[in-house]
Amino acid sequence: MRITAKSAGVVAFAAVSALTLAACGGGGGGGASEEADEANKPDKLTVAAWMDFPQELLDSFEEETGIEVVVNRFPDGASAQTVLRNGLSSNGAGLSDVHLVELDWWTEMMAVPEDWAELPEIPDRWVDWKVAQGSVDGVVTGYGTDIGPLAIAFNQDMLSGTGLATDPASFGEFIGGEDATWQTFLDAGREYVATSDNYFVDSLTNAFQAAINLLPDAFEDPESGLPYDLAENTEVKDLFAMFADAAEDDISAGIAIGHADWGAGFQNRQWATVVTPAWMTGIIAENADGVDGWRIASEFPNGGGNWGGSFFAVPATGENTAWAIELADYLTSPDAAIDWFNTTGQFPSQLEAMSAPEIAEATNPFFGDQQVGQIYGDLAAAAGDSAAGGYRGENFAGIQTLVTDGIRLVESDSATAEAAWDSVVAEFNALGFETAD
């Protein structure tokens, strides 16, 4: 099967299978809710999200149930998070029937479990660690959507021009092969910029976030939930120094995804590599449209990991919680996961979808007809349970943003590596956290 490019530039496949609603249960999931009934069926349900929905998925749910699905769209996850935070603090005011909740701010949103409807278990649908992430004290409150197995996208034409690598195999060896670490990746970047007139990576903040995600408890104590004293957090400090030193060596353009100039950077061939979770492949294809040579490597520092992934959750204050649960189930069925992968490149957390030939055997013309789904599947398997990432308490997202902004200071030549760390620690201290012993 070959992927074709949609007119908008997002990589997409032709739809490969019709979605069916088993007992109003989401495409063979077994029926998540037994409480939804015709007498209480609403005319429409609302979903708050910031990503594109396959229209055929929404149409199919309406055809099967007679319920229109209206997507309340946000420009980004941060905007959706703000609205959700405000709604939860106002007894549900302004909330949608179903909310997409991103992993990094999941713990904060679930601080009061009673704010959320309990979702029936659906055995054997997801990888085990995704179910654990979407549960609070053993109760499922979120149905998993995608996961973000990590890879490196690189431009082999740019690398070939330096003589350092010519294809995915030689690029993998260039960054360290099977024994690749973040240090070997960054050292490869230093070697590249010494022989090239462009940067090695778009932004070190992306790579730094990926590295943070591999730490078992980056910022907070799993026992107490309290933040660690950042000044004494040697694991994070050492990681920060590694990436900040590379930023001082100018291996990065300092332009991360979401920056206004990110798309222009691809078109102007400003960098040769991007740390690329699976959900970013379609975004790269759109922004680098017309730029040849982009490929996905099979090697990743420290054996792989995960960045991102979300859940559909149902606020308990909603008027249509039973049918909202049906919709959350439907939107996370294996068939729905395949549909999303085909539309946006999001890699599924559903076991059946992961092994489906529509994903594993599909080729992607933008990435030189590579079997991108198979590559990401292998990287996810190699990462194993570590792909789940470490402990994320209520303050994880905020502290991560604070520390990542410190890397930006160095990238923009606004501070040295040492001064940037001191600034981050000072800002952390100013927040007045009670810290773990």
Side-chain angles (χ1 to χ4, degrees):
M1 167 178 268
R2 286 178 60 86
I3 303 178
T4 59
K6 295 175 70 176
S7 59
V10 179
V11 175
F13 301 101
V16 295
S17 60
L19 295 174
T20 57
L21 190 63
C24 289
S33 172
E34 298 179 357
E35 298 179 5
D37 58 62
E38 292 294 321
N40 297 316
K41 184 166 67 174
D43 294 328
K44 70 176 182 180
L45 291 168
T46 55
V47 182
W50 59 91
M51 63 186 184
D52 292 331
F53 279 65
Q55 187 58 47
E56 60 268 26
L57 184 63
L58 304 181
D59 292 344
S60 180
F61 183 82
E62 182 174 2
E63 180 180 342
E64 294 291 338
T65 65
I67 301 173
E68 178 188 6
V69 180
V70 176
V71 180
N72 293 328
R73 300 182 187 276
F74 293 90
D76 49 47
S79 302
Q81 179 186 9
T82 298
V83 169
L84 182 52
R85 182 187 293 120
N86 292 341
L88 291 175
S89 64
S90 304
N91 197 33
L95 295 184
S96 299
D97 293 303
V98 179
H99 276 260
L100 189 67
V101 183
E102 211 278 329
L103 175 62
D104 282 349
W105 33 280
W106 169 265
T107 304
E108 178 191 347
M109 297 302 109
M110 297 292 150
V112 182
E114 293 77 18
D115 286 342
W116 300 94
E118 178 178 346
L119 306 182
E121 295 183 10
I122 305 177
D124 302 321
R125 176 175 287 187
W126 298 276
V127 291
D128 289 344
W129 58 263
K130 187 70 173 181
V131 178
Q133 285 181 336
S135 302
V136 179
D137 296 330
V139 175
V140 178
T141 52
Y143 284 159
T145 58
D146 62 316
I147 55 177
L150 289 164
I152 305 293
F154 72 100
N155 191 291
Q156 65 181 18
D157 294 351
M158 295 181 193
L159 270 296
S160 295
T162 65
L164 296 171
T166 58
D167 56 20
S170 58
F171 176 79
E173 290 302 313
F174 175 54
I175 64 171
E178 293 182 356
D179 298 321
T181 64
W182 286 112
Q183 189 65 66
T184 64
F185 174 76
L186 297 174
D187 286 343
R190 292 179 172 93
E191 188 174 354
Y192 177 81
V193 297
T195 58
S196 177
D197 59 0
N198 68 349
Y199 296 101
F200 183 62
V201 65
D202 58 339
S203 174
L204 285 168
T205 58
N206 295 352
F208 179 68
Q209 179 170 337
I212 286 290
N213 286 346
L214 292 175
L215 298 179
D217 51 336
F219 303 122
E220 297 146 302
D221 175 24
E223 294 297 323
S224 66
L226 295 175
Y228 295 124
D229 182 350
L230 191 58
E232 303 300 323
N233 191 333
T234 56
E235 201 165 25
V236 171
K237 181 180 181 180
D238 291 347
L239 199 60
F240 183 95
M242 182 195 303
F243 281 88
D245 287 347
E248 285 193 317
D249 290 336
D250 291 326
I251 76 168
S252 161
I255 301 175
I257 183 174
H259 192 287
D261 295 330
W262 196 65
F266 279 102
Q267 294 300 319
N268 296 330
R269 294 169 170 80
Q270 282 185 258
W271 49 74
T273 72
V274 180
V275 173
T276 306
W279 50 263
M280 199 187 287
T281 55
I283 302 173
I284 289 176
E286 180 177 8
N287 283 273
D289 186 31
V291 180
D292 295 332
W294 284 97
R295 300 291 184 269
I296 304 293
S298 298
E299 286 78 21
F300 192 83
N302 295 354
N306 187 80
W307 176 8
S310 300
F311 305 85
F312 282 117
V314 176
T317 54
E319 296 180 357
N320 307 298
T321 54
W323 280 101
I325 292 171
E326 294 292 342
L327 177 59
D329 174 17
Y330 185 77
L331 294 174
T332 58
S333 72
D335 283 339
I338 292 172
D339 217 27
W340 243 304
F341 178 82
N342 294 346
T343 303
T344 65
Q346 291 181 177
F347 195 79
S349 60
Q350 294 82 349
L351 292 166
E352 182 180 332
M354 283 183 181
S355 60
E358 293 90 343
I359 291 178
E361 298 176 9
T363 59
N364 187 316
F366 178 80
F367 292 102
D369 285 331
Q370 287 182 290
Q371 291 184 326
V372 172
Q374 181 67 56
I375 292 171
Y376 275 107
D378 290 345
L379 286 165
D385 288 344
S386 67
Y391 174 73
R392 288 169 168 82
E394 293 183 31
N395 295 297
F396 177 90
I399 300 173
Q400 177 170 261
T401 298
L402 183 69
V403 177
T404 303
D405 283 346
I407 300 293
R408 280 188 234 279
L409 286 175
V410 186
E411 285 186 319
S412 64
D413 294 326
S414 299
T416 65
E418 184 177 356
W421 176 254
D422 290 343
S423 175
V424 168
V425 170
E427 290 189 46
F428 174 86
N429 290 338
L431 295 173
F433 284 121
E434 178 187 359
T435 57
D437 294 332

